[in-house]
Amino acid sequence: MATAQLDGIKVLGGGPFGGRDLELMITRDAIQDRVREMAAEISGRYAARGPIIIGILNGSFIFMADLVRALQIPFEVDFIKLSSYGSETSSSGTVRLLKDISADITGRDVIVVEDIIDTGLTINFLRRRLEEAGPTSVSFVTLLLKDDVAKLDFTIDHVGFKIPNRYVVGYGLDIDQQMRGLDAIYALKEQE
Ligand code: PRP
């Protein structure tokens, strides 16, 4: 796994994380290759089913955009906005619903798209909530999974990369709402 110093794109704006360096964890090319593979798997599985693909805002927006553009099947999109973190680098332990889906998912095939599953709190909350609406099926796609940390009582259908328990940014993931536009995944360098 490569490591890079990123002079000039250290955490922006100072604040509690200002001046921290980043380590390259997953390159842009590796992400793009894996997204295409995942899209092919999903296209095969959902051919002729017309799924509704629900992205969890904010973090999933870049992964979702790349994933759906690589699909070879008809689909609809919708979004839900949930928040499980405050402004710190660990889970607050609660999930807040900030924007609900608009679509009626009763009797539909649903695909949930997440950028990262960390503790599993967000995805467990969303699974319970969606199943109350009586969809035909719900499957889960995540770009990143912290499999040493996540507590899940169901299977994640499509996982892009399993990652260690590091705070990661880029490709939609933020720190204090910054760094989402980086085109690769970086870990905050641990302080010595
Ligand atoms: C992040 C991420 C996931 C969630 C994962 O979202 O996008 O939705 O945390 O953590 P969990 O498995 O411990 O629940 P966050 O609440 O930081 O909001 P954001 O997507 O707007 O960045």
Side-chain angles (χ1 to χ4, degrees):
M1 197 174 282
T3 301
Q5 282 296 112
L6 291 171
D7 293 338
I9 57 166
K10 290 179 179 177
V11 175
L12 302 176
F17 310 109
R20 297 272 284 272
D21 291 325
L22 305 177
E23 295 174 55
L24 181 60
M25 180 181 276
I26 308 172
T27 65
R28 175 186 182 281
D29 286 351
I31 293 170
Q32 295 301 325
D33 288 349
R34 187 72 187 112
V35 169
R36 277 193 294 274
E37 287 175 3
M38 296 172 87
E41 291 167 15
I42 293 165
S43 296
R45 182 173 169 189
Y46 283 88
R49 287 167 68 183
I52 298 182
I53 304 176
I54 298 177
I56 306 179
L57 295 172
N58 291 332
S60 74
F61 75 111
I62 291 177
F63 175 44
M64 175 96 164
D66 283 346
L67 185 72
V68 300
R69 286 181 293 175
L71 292 175
Q72 303 291 321
I73 56 169
F75 61 86
E76 298 167 33
V77 299
D78 201 350
F79 292 92
I80 190 167
K81 187 170 170 65
L82 299 170
S83 180
S84 73
Y85 283 7
S87 60
E88 303 298 326
T89 54
S90 62
S91 173
S92 67
T94 58
V95 178
R96 287 185 300 152
L97 175 65
L98 302 176
K99 175 206 169 298
D100 207 349
I101 55 171
S102 310
D104 178 4
I105 62 167
T106 306
R108 299 293 302 270
D109 291 304
V110 173
I111 302 171
V112 173
V113 175
E114 181 60 292
D115 54 332
I116 184 169
I117 297 174
D118 188 339
T119 64
L121 205 65
T122 302
I123 208 86
N124 283 324
F125 172 91
L126 183 57
R127 178 171 176 257
R128 284 195 299 275
R129 188 175 177 89
L130 293 177
E131 288 191 342
E132 285 170 7
T136 297
S137 68
V138 183
S139 68
F140 297 89
V141 180
T142 189
L143 180 68
L144 306 176
L145 171 65
K146 290 187 181 177
D147 64 336
D148 290 341
V149 179
K151 290 192 174 65
L152 301 166
D153 49 15
F154 61 100
T155 303
I156 303 302
D157 303 82
H158 302 274
V159 175
F161 301 91
K162 292 179 178 175
I163 64 166
N165 187 20
R166 298 282 302 275
Y167 194 94
V168 287
V169 297
Y171 200 66
L173 289 92
D174 74 306
I175 183 159
D176 268 358
Q177 303 303 328
Q178 300 289 328
M179 317 296 277
R180 295 191 195 270
L182 298 174
D183 62 6
I185 300 289
Y186 298 87
L188 278 196
K189 193 164 184 178
E190 287 165 355
Q191 288 177 318
E192 285 150 24

